[in-house]
Amino acid sequence: MNRKFTDPFLPPERLLLGPGPSPVAPEVLKAMAHSTIGHLDPAFIGLMDELKAMLQTCFNTKNEATFTVAGPGSVGMDACVLNMVEAGDKILIARNGVFGMRMSEVASRGGAVVVPLDFEWGKPVEAAAVDAALAADKDIKFVAFVHAETSTGVLSDAKAIAAAAAKHGAMVIMDAVTSVGGVPVKIDEWGVDVVYTGTQKCISCPPGLSPVSFSPRAIEHIKNRKTKVLSWFLDVTQVMAYWGGEGARAYHHTAPINALYGLHEALRRVLVEGLDTAFARHKKAHLHLVAEVKKRGWEMLVDEAYRLPQLNAIKIPAGVDDAKVRRSLLLDHNIEIGAGLGVLAGKVWRIGLMGEGARVEHVDTLFAALDKVLKG
Ligand SMILES: *Cc1c(COP(=O)(O)O)cnc(C)c1O
């Protein structure tokens, strides 16, 4: 290989069955290759309005404050948490995996007093425990949790958790990075005040954008803050003025124009298929995977009752060299799967069946390759 850095970069063709990014449809990539226009061009403003409507549909919300933040899911986390908390505010963070831990880190950097509520990794957040924690400390203003924990493959009951928070008047911040597009997300019905997602999981768009939504109550709360939001770029009241439709639009930053073309196409594909059809497709691929796992006498990490269809944690069979298998899958078979994180490192494989990846034929391709690799 005599590559020079001035040679064009050509990525290998991989089948992405890890925890994200997920496979991107050629139509989405094509959309991103369209000519760049100005971010205040009326045509672009029209695109942003359509994106807002599509995101409202995906979140099941009427929230006016629904838009994308420029940056991956973690930037959405920063935006949501840092707009809500002020120094000294108490926030209950339910943690059952990597991303709940990350939320704690974000909140504490924002000066909040984090009240942790920990659950075993591989188990869901329990609404009853959230209720009890809030009853024990009346100063807690916010409850934050991860709807779909990508580090373990667990779905938590968002409706019950939000109801527990409502009982005590706490506002709810939800991570929906892996849930949107894969399982139902109904933030208005559930009473979730603030939500963020990402584009590279079940929406099958390249990473780099974070759709967010704030309830009118959350916006009111932000407007009444005593202190300014820590980050200028992520101050939602300013970003909203940029996304606010014709007339209200003021220059704030330059939108990632071509990335938003891609998101428009990716969301259009999801909504033309229909959210319910997409959820059923995820479920079908997931059940096929579980059947293949059982056929081989292997086990899933997570109990059936709260398993995510889009993220499947499989216990690595005894005596198998985890890293070697993943390397061979990637380099010999062009298939990416995910490793275990934290306490689950070396213990599980994480198979993402997300967005375009959620297809029975991809599961078959994966298991055919896995069988070959394991035979050696
Ligand atoms: C992937 C993920 C994130 C972070 O998103 P990035 O795009 O990697 O920054 C946050 N929360 C959950 C649940 C995720 O799966």
Side-chain angles (χ1 to χ4, degrees), residues 19-20 71-77 99 102 146-151 175-179 196-201 207-209 354:
S74 302
V75 171
M77 185 187 290
F99 293 102
R102 187 176 295 180
V146 177
H147 187 208
E149 227 336 318
T150 322
S151 59
D175 176 315
V177 174
T178 285
S179 45
Y196 58 92
T197 186
T199 51
Q200 82 276 27
K201 314 262 166 127
L209 292 170
M354 297 179 172

Side-chain angles (χ1 to χ4, degrees), residues 14-177:
R14 310 276 202 218
L15 175 58
L16 298 177
L17 300 180
S22 59
V24 178
E27 290 85 347
V28 173
L29 297 174
K30 234 190 212 162
M32 294 175 78
H34 287 144
S35 307
T36 304
I37 57 175
H39 71 119
L40 297 174
D41 189 308
F44 189 69
I45 293 174
L47 169 93
M48 286 170 90
D49 289 343
E50 288 181 18
L51 274 174
K52 177 174 162 183
M54 290 199 277
L55 292 173
Q56 285 172 325
T57 307
C58 289
F59 285 130
N60 268 294
T61 184
K62 293 194 171 64
N63 288 344
E64 266 308 302
T66 302
F67 49 88
T68 68
V69 179
S74 302
V75 171
M77 185 187 290
D78 267 358
C80 289
V81 174
L82 296 177
N83 274 276
M84 296 305 281
V85 303
E86 290 186 77
D89 282 350
K90 273 195 182 173
I91 178 169
L92 181 79
I93 303 192
R95 312 188 296 194
N96 61 338
V98 166
F99 293 102
M101 303 303 289
R102 187 176 295 180
M103 271 177 140
S104 296
E105 179 65 23
V106 171
S108 62
R109 285 184 187 211
V113 177
V114 173
V115 181
L117 182 62
D118 288 324
F119 299 88
E120 198 184 318
W121 287 31
K123 296 274 193 284
V125 172
E126 285 164 32
V130 170
D131 185 6
L134 292 172
D137 188 343
K138 298 289 181 197
D139 293 335
I140 297 173
K141 287 188 180 172
F142 309 100
V143 171
F145 70 100
V146 177
H147 187 208
E149 227 336 318
T150 322
S151 59
T152 60
V154 166
L155 181 69
S156 288
D157 185 345
K159 186 179 181 176
I161 296 164
K167 206 170 130 188
H168 300 277
M171 299 183 87
V172 178
I173 303 172
M174 181 170 91
D175 176 315
V177 174

Side-chain angles (χ1 to χ4, degrees), residues 232-252:
W232 174 87
F233 184 67
L234 297 177
D235 183 336
V236 157
T237 53
Q238 295 194 54
V239 185
M240 260 179 65
Y242 181 55
W243 273 82
E246 237 163 329
R249 280 179 65 99
Y251 166 70
H252 176 260

Side-chain angles (χ1 to χ4, degrees), residues 121-122 151-153 299-303 307 313-315 344 348:
W121 287 31
S151 59
T152 60
E299 279 177 74
M300 302 293 289
L301 172 76
V302 172
D303 284 352
R307 246 178 230 159
I314 301 175
K315 289 188 189 168
L344 296 173
V348 299

